């Protein structure tokens, strides 16, 4: 087990969550920081997903089909689990060819 | 600890628990996919209680990345919890003890934040513990089930599940870019840069994610800052509150 890495992840995450309780009594008013934190989730998820998703299964057709199904379902605003399973089923089906 | 508030918390947290369970199955599977032990994935789920953050961390571990890489990606991906903790700390019942705050801080996630903020009353320690306990249970047990299922399922099915967590990320990003032009710009820039870094192989995957996240978020914050009104802040958080399940956002 990667103990050192796990410890770093745990402490980093906890300190982020705890520090506002300790450090601040007032809300952060800085517009730049507010905006920065607003964009982080979308940017990080996009960067993590693409192009890595295209190599997440053992064949191109499989990954492409899974990605396509996920995009369509997400566009229809299906729930997270439906999109995730849809992608997996698409990839499995694509893997048959 | 007041039993009534604790039970109320459990009830609020039940949909989060179910959402977390189904999503963390994908995390457990991903761990096996990366050839990491189940115990490691379960411990990470228990000690981190984050989705994107721990997924990125596990991936870096799986690719034998360095400690600094693990630290920076965890820091940047989870930085948004800072603002959520800040809001929750201001909504706590005035007599909340310092050691109770230590425990509440552990359980700040997008969904728990959303549920807490939807409460009309001040947040008590008992209520928060109810929500957190049941959510953690869903998250950790799902990770375990995902890991076990991976070792039992045939290779073709396992292979297909490698894509599941990415599917979840797509499910968060696409609705957000549908309704907001600035999100669309941010995502487009991120995709172009990410593809570029991937094929240029100047940076490892972990570093590429860090550089893109800081760079693009800062650029967007500078060029297209969000409205400073209170609503904008809450909207922004709601936009990513679906990190683990769309449906747990609206407890009403």
């Amino acid at each position: 087990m990667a103990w050192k890495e796990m410890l770093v992840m745990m402490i980093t995450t906890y300190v982020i969550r705890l520090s506002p309780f300790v450090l601040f009594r007032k809300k952060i008013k800085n517009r730049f920081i507010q905006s920065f934190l607003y964009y982080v989730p979308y940017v990080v998820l996009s960067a993590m997903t693409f192009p890595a998703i295209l190599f997440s299964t053992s064949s191109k057709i499989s990954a492409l089909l899974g990605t396509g199904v996920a995009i369509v379902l997400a566009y229809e605003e299906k729930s997270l689990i439906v999109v995730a399973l849809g992608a997996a089923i698409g990839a499995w089906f694509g893997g048959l060819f | 600890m007041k039993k009534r508030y604790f039970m109320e918390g459990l009830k609020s947290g039940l949909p989060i628990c179910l959402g977390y369970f189904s999503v963390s199955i994908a995390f457990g599977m991903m761990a096996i996919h990366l050839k990491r032990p189940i115990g490691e994935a379960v411990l990470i789920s228990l000690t981190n209680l984050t989705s994107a953050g721990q997924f990125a961390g596990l991936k870096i571990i799986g690719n034998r990345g360095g400690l600094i890489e693990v630290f920076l990606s965890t820091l940047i991906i989870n930085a948004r919890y800072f603002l959520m903790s800040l809001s929750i700390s201001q909504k706590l019942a005035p007599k909340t003890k310092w050691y109770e705050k230590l425990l509440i801080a552990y359980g700040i996630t997008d969904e728990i934040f959303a549920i807490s903020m939807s409460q009309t009353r001040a947040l008590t320690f008992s209520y928060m513990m109810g929500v957190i306990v049941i959510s953690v249970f869903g998250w950790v047990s799902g990770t375990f089930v995902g890991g076990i299922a991976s070792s039992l399922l045939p290779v073709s099915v396992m292979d297909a599940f490698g894509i599941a967590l990415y599917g979840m990320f797509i499910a968060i990003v696409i609705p957000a870019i549908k309704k907001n032009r600035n999100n669309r710009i941010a995502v487009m820039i991120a995709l172009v840069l990410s593809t570029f870094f991937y094929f240029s192989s100047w940076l490892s995957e972990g570093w590429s994610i860090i550089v893109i996240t800081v760079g693009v978020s800062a650029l967007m914050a500078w060029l297209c800052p969000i409205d400073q009104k209170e609503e904008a802040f809450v909207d922004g958080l709601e936009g990513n509150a679906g990190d683990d399940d769309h449906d747990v956002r609206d407890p009403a």
Side-chain angles (χ1 to χ4, degrees):
Chain A
M1 293 226 251
W3 292 108
K4 262 186 281 179
E5 286 82 355
M6 288 162 71
L7 201 67
V8 166
M9 286 166 73
M10 177 182 84
I11 294 173
T12 309
T13 307
Y14 187 61
V15 169
I16 292 169
R17 284 168 168 155
L18 183 66
S19 50
F21 286 88
V22 180
L23 297 175
F24 295 96
R25 296 291 142 111
K26 287 180 189 163
K27 242 173 210 161
I28 293 182
K29 292 266 166 62
N30 185 302
R31 197 182 182 192
F32 179 81
I33 294 175
Q34 280 194 6
S35 304
F36 178 85
L37 289 169
Y38 165 84
Y39 284 113
V40 162
Y42 308 122
V43 174
V44 74
L45 292 178
S46 306
M48 284 202 317
T49 304
F50 200 83
I53 191 172
L54 300 178
F55 310 99
S56 64
T57 64
S58 52
S59 85
K60 277 279 133 47
I61 307 170
S62 154
L64 279 176
L65 199 62
T67 307
V69 171
I71 290 174
V72 170
L73 290 175
Y75 194 82
E76 297 296 321
E77 309 207 7
K78 301 295 178 203
S79 77
L80 302 204
I81 188 66
V82 169
V83 179
L85 284 177
I89 293 168
W92 172 78
F93 189 72
L96 299 178
F97 298 100
Chain B
M1 197 83 155
K2 289 232 174 63
K3 200 181 162 197
R4 187 164 66 87
Y5 290 140
F6 182 75
M7 296 306 289
E8 229 172 82
L10 288 181
K11 226 171 89 187
S12 301
L14 184 63
I16 302 184
C17 171
L18 296 176
Y20 277 9
F21 181 82
S22 48
V23 167
S24 60
I25 285 179
F27 180 72
M29 290 181 158
M30 184 63 70
I32 303 303
H33 203 72
L34 290 168
K35 308 216 163 27
R36 304 302 308 174
I38 298 179
E40 185 173 288
V42 169
L43 262 180
I44 289 176
S45 281
L46 180 67
T47 55
N48 283 248
L49 195 64
T50 67
S51 55
Q54 69 182 52
F55 171 61
L58 186 76
K59 242 187 137 186
I60 295 170
I61 294 173
N63 295 331
R64 305 260 173 254
L67 270 185
I68 298 177
E69 214 174 321
V70 171
F71 166 69
L72 282 179
S73 75
T74 307
L75 181 70
I76 289 160
I77 298 171
N78 293 341
R80 67 184 188 282
Y81 293 133
F82 187 87
L83 277 182
M84 298 182 196
S85 277
L86 193 57
S87 303
I88 287 189
S89 69
Q90 290 172 9
K91 216 189 158 185
L92 286 182
K95 50 184 181 184
T96 310
K97 308 270 194 314
W98 66 268
Y99 56 85
E100 295 176 337
K101 289 180 186 169
L102 291 183
L103 282 170
I104 293 170
Y106 157 74
I108 309 297
T109 69
D110 299 335
E111 290 72 20
I112 291 172
F113 170 80
I115 292 263
S116 309
M117 285 299 143
S118 72
Q119 298 296 305
T120 47
R121 281 170 305 177
L123 300 166
T124 62
F125 172 67
S126 306
Y127 175 80
M128 291 306 290
M129 280 304 108
V131 178
I132 291 168
V133 163
I134 194 166
S135 303
V136 170
F137 175 75
W139 189 242
V140 172
S141 58
T143 305
F144 182 71
V145 169
I148 293 293
S150 300
S151 348
L152 301 176
L153 293 170
V155 180
S156 64
V157 175
M158 256 315 291
D159 188 52
F161 266 111
I163 208 169
L165 213 50
Y166 292 117
M168 194 187 96
F169 294 159
I170 288 179
I172 295 168
V173 171
I174 287 189
I177 64 177
K178 253 174 84 180
K179 67 175 178 224
N180 183 307
R181 186 177 136 266
N182 290 344
N183 292 345
R184 215 145 45 222
I185 298 170
V187 167
M188 284 309 295
I189 301 173
L191 291 182
V192 170
L193 288 179
S194 166
T195 308
F196 174 74
F197 282 134
Y198 194 94
F199 291 106
S200 72
S201 53
W202 287 346
L203 298 169
S204 71
E205 203 180 339
W207 280 109
S208 144
I209 289 168
I210 293 164
V211 168
I212 292 169
T213 304
V214 174
V216 177
S217 301
L219 181 77
M220 290 303 293
W222 180 51
L223 295 177
C224 313
I226 58 168
D227 276 339
Q228 211 165 4
K229 282 177 295 182
E230 183 73 3
E231 287 84 353
F233 171 63
V234 174
D235 275 355
L237 291 164
E238 275 184 0
N240 63 58
D243 228 22
D244 293 290
D245 195 309
H246 276 312
D247 305 318
V248 301
R249 245 185 286 159
D250 294 312

